[in-house]
Amino acid sequence: MSTKVVLVTGASSGIGKSIAQTLKQKGFIVYGTARNPHKYPDTIIPLLPLDVTDQKTINSCISSLIANEGRIDVLINNAGRGINGTVEEMPIKEAKHIFDTNFFGAVAVAQAVIPYMRTQRSGYIVNITSIAGFMGLPFRGFYSASKSALNIITESMRMELKPFGIEVCSLAPGDFATDIASRRYNAPIAKDSPYFERYNNQLNQIDDHVDGAMNPEIVGEVIYNIVNISGIRVNYTVGSFLQKLSIYLKRMLPSKLFEAMLSNHYKQ
């Protein structure tokens, strides 16, 4: 088959940019997306305008790609956003927006791509979730929930699309050294909030984890391996040993014991 044509959403920075660059270096034809591509004039990856919460831009993006290349072989559903805040005090508007971006946005892009892959009788869809999607984290509940939802719908997509030759999986990264902190929504909190001290300590800890994390180029290498095999697994993880171990422990330990360990880790 000819060189694979790849679309990586949210490829202007961070993990998405690393994925796109790695796949381009491996010889794939790679397009990325950004809400405002003109802000990134030095990118080596062509960026198509796309806002995953805007159906018109989704349709336009996929139409442009098909017009340019005539096919799409791999969709990397990477576009997403971080969010921190307490469940009690989180503005519902912001909670809905994170689901519109991390969950419904990914589904909408997949819906636009699937008909082309179905016609081709081939394709890969990789939904970028998060290790945080396997467990509810303190002050990151809405982020965990949005990524968990994407994990679950990936399982449904796999079974529905398998007869058409379309392979679907999720890839859950842990912490990687990116600029995600600058794009994360941190819900405001009043000084008299009963959560004030714990919440602010949590924010500092999250930023420390990202600053000391691994190089995101590793994620691109994992993606490359996934889209070069058939019969891919349902879920893949990439991260530190402890982060991947946490998923195993969640499955194996009594729930209260795992909760106690998680609380201790986050100093709750």
Side-chain angles (χ1 to χ4, degrees):
M1 194 186 84
S2 59
T3 302
K4 288 185 174 72
V5 177
V6 182
L7 179 66
V8 183
T9 66
S12 60
S13 62
I15 288 177
K17 182 177 180 180
S18 292
I19 293 171
Q21 291 178 342
T22 297
L23 295 183
K24 181 178 176 63
Q25 291 166 1
K26 299 288 188 181
F28 291 0
I29 299 170
V30 182
Y31 289 79
T33 76
R35 283 178 295 177
N36 300 292
H38 64 274
K39 291 184 177 181
Y40 310 95
D42 299 326
T43 179
I44 65 171
I45 305 296
L47 293 176
L48 301 173
L50 172 68
D51 178 344
V52 298
T53 67
D54 184 336
Q55 189 65 50
K56 288 183 179 180
T57 70
I58 293 173
N59 295 341
S60 177
C61 173
I62 304 306
S63 294
S64 295
L65 177 59
I66 297 300
N68 289 345
E69 304 297 339
R71 62 184 296 117
I72 176 169
D73 301 295
V74 181
L75 168 64
I76 310 297
N77 251 329
N78 169 75
R81 189 183 181 205
I83 185 170
N84 295 319
T86 71
V87 173
E88 179 184 352
E89 299 178 349
M90 177 67 69
I92 291 300
K93 178 182 177 181
E94 294 296 339
K96 289 181 177 179
H97 181 64
I98 207 68
F99 270 84
D100 284 342
T101 303
N102 292 359
F103 177 71
F104 290 111
V107 172
V109 176
Q111 287 178 333
V113 164
I114 288 169
Y116 297 102
M117 291 184 173
R118 205 162 19 81
T119 299
Q120 297 163 189
R121 307 291 297 184
S122 67
Y124 289 82
I125 297 174
V126 182
N127 292 325
I128 304 298
T129 58
S130 173
I131 287 179
F134 288 91
M135 60 202 72
L137 300 180
F139 303 112
R140 298 174 71 185
F142 289 100
Y143 180 76
S144 290
S146 68
K147 290 299 188 177
S148 178
L150 188 56
N151 254 334
I152 292 299
I153 206 164
T154 297
E155 297 177 6
S156 299
M157 291 171 65
R158 279 175 60 87
M159 291 181 284
E160 293 176 10
L161 298 178
K162 184 177 181 180
F164 306 115
I166 304 172
E167 304 230 32
V168 187
C169 72
S170 67
L171 173 62
D175 291 325
F176 283 87
T178 69
D179 63 346
I180 188 173
S182 65
R183 294 173 282 110
R184 185 190 300 123
Y185 174 78
N186 294 326
I189 190 166
K191 288 187 177 181
D192 61 352
S193 168
Y195 304 99
F196 182 79
E197 183 176 354
R198 292 166 59 212
Y199 177 53
N200 282 289
N201 288 340
Q202 181 74 50
L203 293 183
N204 293 332
Q205 188 177 8
I206 291 170
D207 290 342
D208 288 343
H209 287 171
V210 172
D211 291 341
M214 297 184 296
N215 191 316
E217 292 178 4
I218 298 170
V219 184
E221 293 290 340
V222 173
I223 293 282
Y224 175 73
N225 292 330
I226 289 173
V227 301
N228 274 298
I229 59 176
S230 60
I232 61 177
R233 302 199 310 263
V234 181
N235 305 118
Y236 293 82
T237 58
V238 56
S240 70
F241 171 77
L242 287 178
Q243 289 168 346
K244 292 190 285 187
L245 178 63
S246 68
I247 299 175
Y248 174 79
L249 293 177
K250 171 74 183 291
R251 294 169 179 158
M252 300 301 295
L253 293 178
S255 58
K256 287 187 177 181
L257 177 56
F258 180 78
E259 181 183 64
M261 292 176 61
L262 204 59
S263 295
N264 181 65
H265 176 74
Y266 285 104
K267 299 178 174 61
Q268 295 300 311

